[in-house]
Amino acid sequence: SQQGEEDPQALSIQEGENATMNCSYKTSINNLQWYRQNSGRGLVHLILIRSNEREKHSGRLRVTLDTSKKSSSLLITASRAADTASYFCAPGTGGFKTIFGAGTRLFVKA
Amino acid sequence: GAVVSQHPSWVICKSGTSVKIECRSLDFQATTMFWYRQFPKQSLMLMATSNEGSKATYEQGVEKDKFLINHASLTLSTLTVTSAHPEDSSFYICSARDSPEAFFGQGTRLTVV
């Protein structure tokens, strides 16, 4: 298992705008997952992208993966106030443990 | 996705007492569950890996005698905070793996007074 590093640490945007957050990791992965955590709540699994995939969509979410740069990005389109949360990436190397970085705190202003 | 239920969602206890938190996988069997701890505005810190039918594996710096983990069945793991102190006040979250995805409980807010 390894830890992903999210960037930026914090992001503040207006409702309707797009939000982009990035994740970098250090060694080869099998997959990478993104999670959301609303304040004071558990984590919600958003999307999983495998190492042989370059892009994946789920509703307003778009995830890209560039294994050559060891990075991933999460794009939330047409953001809503309800998207306000912390977002974490979790690179998977086949081990069972999920190790989290500091996350990106997204604040969407209504 | 799969459902992981954590109970209680919040608990207040007196210093010196013990508190048990339950984590259940409702619609899948989880041979491995994980316990995390999160301080305000910080990330989740992995405390231990709970394996069904065997001893838990603790991360470095986590006191195994303080945080007792029991994974008695494929759908239930428990974390007992023994002799709790105010510094143990935190948000505790469990997760269960339905490979390759991990699913998380809602978390338990523990306040020790």
Side-chain angles (χ1 to χ4, degrees):
Chain A
S1 299
Q2 63 173 299
Q3 180 175 323
E5 297 291 338
E6 296 87 354
D7 176 71
Q9 289 187 337
L11 181 60
S12 182
I13 59 174
Q14 290 291 140
E15 204 167 31
E17 293 180 340
N18 295 342
T20 300
M21 51 205 86
N22 304 295
C23 170
S24 60
Y25 55 92
K26 290 189 166 56
T27 62
S28 296
I29 60 172
N30 294 335
N31 59 64
L32 187 142
Q33 301 179 69
W34 284 92
Y35 294 86
R36 182 186 75 230
Q37 183 184 32
N38 292 88
S39 181
R41 305 296 300 273
L43 272 70
V44 173
H45 184 268
L46 294 177
I47 200 165
L48 178 150
I49 186 166
R50 300 184 191 280
S51 60
N52 61 353
E53 298 175 307
R54 291 295 167 260
E55 188 170 311
K56 203 162 182 179
H57 296 253
S58 176
R60 292 184 297 113
L61 305 180
R62 176 182 152 226
V63 169
T64 62
L65 179 63
D66 187 336
T67 53
S68 67
K69 295 181 180 178
K70 294 185 172 55
S71 68
S72 173
S73 67
L74 171 66
L75 168 68
I76 304 173
T77 60
S79 62
R80 306 166 182 167
D83 295 327
T84 294
S86 291
Y87 292 81
F88 299 90
C89 69
T93 56
F96 257 25
K97 293 193 289 189
T98 304
I99 307 295
F100 294 96
T104 292
R105 291 195 306 279
L106 173 65
F107 181 65
V108 181
K109 294 178 280 189
Chain B
V3 177
V4 175
S5 176
Q6 195 170 332
H7 177 80
S9 55
W10 61 270
V11 58
I12 301 173
C13 71
K14 290 185 177 180
S15 189
T17 62
S18 296
V19 174
K20 180 184 285 188
I21 302 169
E22 291 186 349
C23 179
R24 293 180 187 275
S25 57
L26 296 186
D27 49 3
F28 67 101
Q29 294 183 330
T31 55
T32 305
M33 293 185 177
F34 306 88
W35 288 95
Y36 294 82
R37 181 175 183 176
Q38 185 179 37
F39 291 106
K41 297 185 179 179
Q42 294 189 24
S43 187
L44 288 81
M45 182 192 79
L46 180 64
M47 300 174 65
T49 301
S50 165
N51 300 296
E52 187 265 337
S54 64
K55 291 183 179 180
T57 303
Y58 291 82
E59 296 298 306
Q60 192 172 5
V62 178
E63 301 174 60
K64 61 180 181 181
D65 294 330
K66 177 140 188 85
F67 300 100
L68 300 180
I69 291 172
N70 185 2
H71 194 153
S73 76
L74 289 172
T75 59
L76 173 65
S77 175
T78 61
L79 168 69
T80 301
V81 183
T82 62
S83 186
H85 292 283
E87 57 265 31
D88 297 325
S89 298
S90 189
F91 193 56
Y92 293 86
I93 303 175
C94 71
S95 84
R97 183 165 285 272
D98 190 12
S99 193
E101 300 176 24
F103 297 93
F104 289 79
Q106 304 93 324
T108 297
R109 174 80 56 196
L110 170 64
T111 302
V112 184
V113 298

